Amino acid sequence: MFSNAILRPTALAVAISLGLSGCASIDKGLGSSNGATACVLGGIAGALIGGGVAAATGKNIGAGVAVGAVVGCGATYLYQQRVKRLQAIAKEEGIDIQVTELQAAAPAGQAAQPGAAPAVVGIEAQVQDSSMFDVGSARVTVDGQRQLRKIAQALAEGRNDPKNAGKKILVVGHTDATGSAEFNQRLSEQRARAVGGILAEVGIPASDIYYQGAGASRPLADNASESGRAKNRRVEMTEVDSQQLLVERVRAERNNPKYLAHGTARPAAAKPADKPARAPARPAPLPVPQVQPEETVEAAPSSGISLPGKGGIDFGGSPVLSTTSTLAQGIQPKASTFSLIAPAYAAVPASSCIGDMPRSEGEVKNLASGAPLGEPETTDYLPGMNGRPWGKVVNGHVALVGPVSILRENALVVAQPEMQFIANYKAGGKKQSAKFPGVANAYEGEDKVLYRVFAADPATSPVTCMDIVFDKRSGAASGGEIYYPKQGQAYVANFQPIRK
């Protein structure tokens, strides 16, 4: 693990954040500049970073500038060569490759040193796979074989150098949202494994290659348009300096709310989803809460958004006019080992659960052994999220969801919840409904967690989905929404449950 000195958000981290912004600007010109120019640009950026870090830590600014200039020159020149190679391949083959440099405050296993610039610890390449695979298949096309071999050879360069012996590569397959989450995850994993096989064929040790199928769970664009779906169909190849950094990278991407900017609801023309598997039955009924002040919103006539489903319980909500959510938008992504989240990110729209579907991503596996990537295990739960139900009276009806079981590490959901209702509770209704199996995803932000629950079978459930925001420190729900069908239209009601 990285030491706390690396991850703690101090003045040093602020200086590093400024440095990352500077490098991002330089990236745009790397492919066309010569070595000397790149070195000058990198030196300037490094000097700024080094001076900023020195100032933040109270050290000699001149020394910081000098150290930063040297490090910035070398790292930028090396990065330039890799970017140029991939840019040349993209031009030759007519494919889209987006390259990003990965930086950390210090190399893996080392503490951040005062006055040191951020270390370049890896590179990420997002490759659109429009012509690499047969439709709906993991079979690599003839063109795909040629294109992927060129990319693999670029990533294999220099791996015989003993200094690069510890480098690891992660291949992640991504799909659009057409088809079921389960099918997309399997297909993306098969494609990632196929790409990993080509990397191994050009000489990269299979033991250094890992692969994962993320399906449609990490969209970069809107799935409602063909151009957006094309951007989402991609293969991501990330090379990092060590196994430790690989684990950090996997954790940084898992359950990251930055991917909520676009929903995974399938376009109207897409084939219907496979019916999700039902969660195991839980014999114990969910406890009935004490009556709390109800939350009611007057409904207003509107064309709204169509939503088929059983419905049957009116939670007093209002018509849904958009699939975006201010509730989800307030989840600021957690600071990563590799970068710091800019405050401006909070302004990015986020999809509500009504514009989303359950997201499924697979394990990270080693190409040589097939074994999952080893990660430290934990059984610690987030406060208040250790398997108890949560509930609230909304417009006179009880709504319950549970067990809510979210681990502290990466906000992993370890038990799927069920939803249960008591209609007309305030009017004396006591009959509990059947328990409706749910499928939950959680997204971890800096200080909040978004808990998103979908009815496994919305055709039989009064509620289609729920969004609940929990405070990671207090364990209390700070906000929430219930989405339900009413006369074929989508309605939303406030839902801020309490723990039972």
Side-chain angles (χ1 to χ4, degrees):
M1 294 292 295
F2 276 64
S3 68
N4 289 338
I6 299 177
L7 303 177
R8 192 177 299 119
T10 60
L12 177 61
V14 173
I16 293 173
S17 178
L18 293 174
L20 289 172
S21 299
C23 283
S25 299
I26 291 171
D27 288 350
K28 298 176 182 178
L30 278 177
S32 58
S33 60
N34 58 33
T37 303
C39 190
V40 171
L41 291 173
I44 293 172
L48 292 173
I49 295 168
V53 171
T57 54
K59 302 296 182 179
N60 183 277
I61 295 177
V65 167
V67 171
V70 173
V71 173
C73 174
T76 303
Y77 181 74
L78 291 174
Y79 180 45
Q80 179 207 35
Q81 303 311 303
R82 305 188 72 166
V83 171
K84 277 189 171 182
R85 181 76 178 105
L86 292 172
Q87 284 179 335
I89 294 170
K91 185 175 181 180
E92 290 169 7
E93 296 293 337
I95 56 177
D96 185 7
I97 303 178
Q98 300 295 326
V99 185
T100 304
E101 181 184 40
L102 299 178
Q103 295 182 337
Q110 299 181 22
Q113 298 298 316
V120 178
V121 296
I123 189 170
E124 171 196 287
Q126 298 274 1
V127 186
Q128 286 194 27
D129 66 3
S130 57
S131 62
M132 289 183 175
F133 300 95
D134 288 338
V135 177
S137 168
R139 180 180 177 276
V140 182
T141 63
V142 174
D143 286 343
Q145 285 278 355
R146 184 184 64 254
Q147 294 162 355
L148 287 170
R149 284 187 178 279
K150 288 183 178 182
I151 294 172
Q153 288 164 356
L155 293 175
E157 290 176 2
R159 290 191 68 89
N160 292 329
D161 190 325
K163 293 184 296 184
N164 299 325
K167 289 186 181 295
K168 307 296 177 184
I169 293 180
L170 172 63
V171 182
V172 183
H174 301 273
T175 69
D176 61 27
T178 304
S180 72
E182 293 79 8
F183 174 82
N184 287 331
Q185 191 281 316
R186 288 194 301 270
L187 176 62
S188 62
E189 180 173 303
Q190 292 166 357
R191 288 179 170 180
R193 192 179 189 282
V195 173
I198 293 175
L199 294 175
E201 288 174 5
V202 302
I204 300 175
S207 58
D208 289 342
I209 302 170
Y210 290 79
Y211 65 94
Q212 179 187 28
S217 65
R218 302 175 188 172
L220 297 180
D222 190 350
N223 278 289
S225 68
E226 176 52 44
S227 62
R229 293 192 292 274
K231 290 181 181 179
N232 291 332
R233 296 190 295 268
R234 66 194 191 278
V235 175
E236 172 187 322
M237 287 174 259
T238 302
E239 182 181 26
V240 291
D241 285 347
S242 66
Q243 183 92 357
Q244 188 171 347
L245 280 167
L246 176 65
V247 172
E248 294 290 343
R249 169 68 177 184
V250 169
R251 289 182 170 182
E253 289 293 279
R254 182 187 293 145
N255 301 335
N256 194 321
K258 72 182 182 181
Y259 293 112
L260 290 174
H262 303 287
T264 61
R266 289 177 294 279
K271 62 182 180 181
D274 296 335
K275 183 177 179 180
R278 292 178 63 88
R282 304 180 190 279
L286 296 174
V288 179
Q290 297 296 317
V291 176
Q292 301 294 321
E294 62 185 72
E295 300 173 355
T296 304
V297 180
E298 291 297 326
S302 169
S303 57
I305 295 175
S306 63
L307 182 66
K310 178 185 177 182
I313 299 179
D314 185 0
F315 293 97
S318 57
V320 178
L321 305 178
S322 170
T323 59
T324 58
S325 169
T326 55
L327 187 73
Q329 182 178 328
I331 306 296
Q332 180 179 343
K334 187 178 178 181
S336 164
T337 298
F338 296 99
S339 63
L340 298 173
I341 304 301
Y345 185 88
V348 176
S351 174
S352 68
C353 67
I354 205 68
D356 206 3
M357 294 291 287
R359 304 192 185 198
S360 175
E361 62 179 51
E363 292 182 305
V364 175
K365 301 176 183 178
N366 183 261
L367 185 65
S369 66
L373 175 67
E375 297 183 58
E377 296 184 359
T378 177
T379 56
D380 292 337
Y381 290 90
L382 285 169
M385 289 162 255
N386 59 346
R388 297 291 297 275
W390 291 67
K392 185 77 172 180
V393 176
V394 183
N395 199 38
H397 312 289
V398 171
L400 297 160
V401 60
V404 177
S405 303
I406 309 176
L407 292 181
R408 186 183 300 275
E409 189 67 43
N410 260 157
L412 289 178
V413 175
V414 292
Q416 293 299 336
E418 293 171 325
M419 295 184 285
Q420 195 168 29
F421 310 94
I422 304 176
N424 303 312
Y425 180 79
K426 282 202 68 178
K430 301 295 182 183
K431 184 179 179 181
Q432 296 189 23
S433 72
K435 290 179 284 186
F436 300 94
V439 180
N441 295 131
Y443 301 91
E444 184 180 15
E446 193 63 32
D447 53 11
K448 297 177 182 178
V449 170
L450 174 65
Y451 187 62
R452 178 162 286 178
V453 182
F454 300 89
D457 186 1
T460 63
S461 173
V463 167
T464 302
C465 62
M466 300 178 175
D467 275 345
I468 306 171
V469 174
F470 292 107
D471 188 297
K472 289 168 58 175
R473 297 160 297 188
S474 68
S478 60
E481 295 171 332
I482 288 179
Y483 289 84
Y484 61 98
K486 179 181 176 183
Q487 298 177 343
Q489 298 292 105
Y491 277 68
V492 59
N494 291 330
F495 179 58
Q496 189 172 345
I498 59 173
R499 184 171 178 262
K500 301 291 105 190

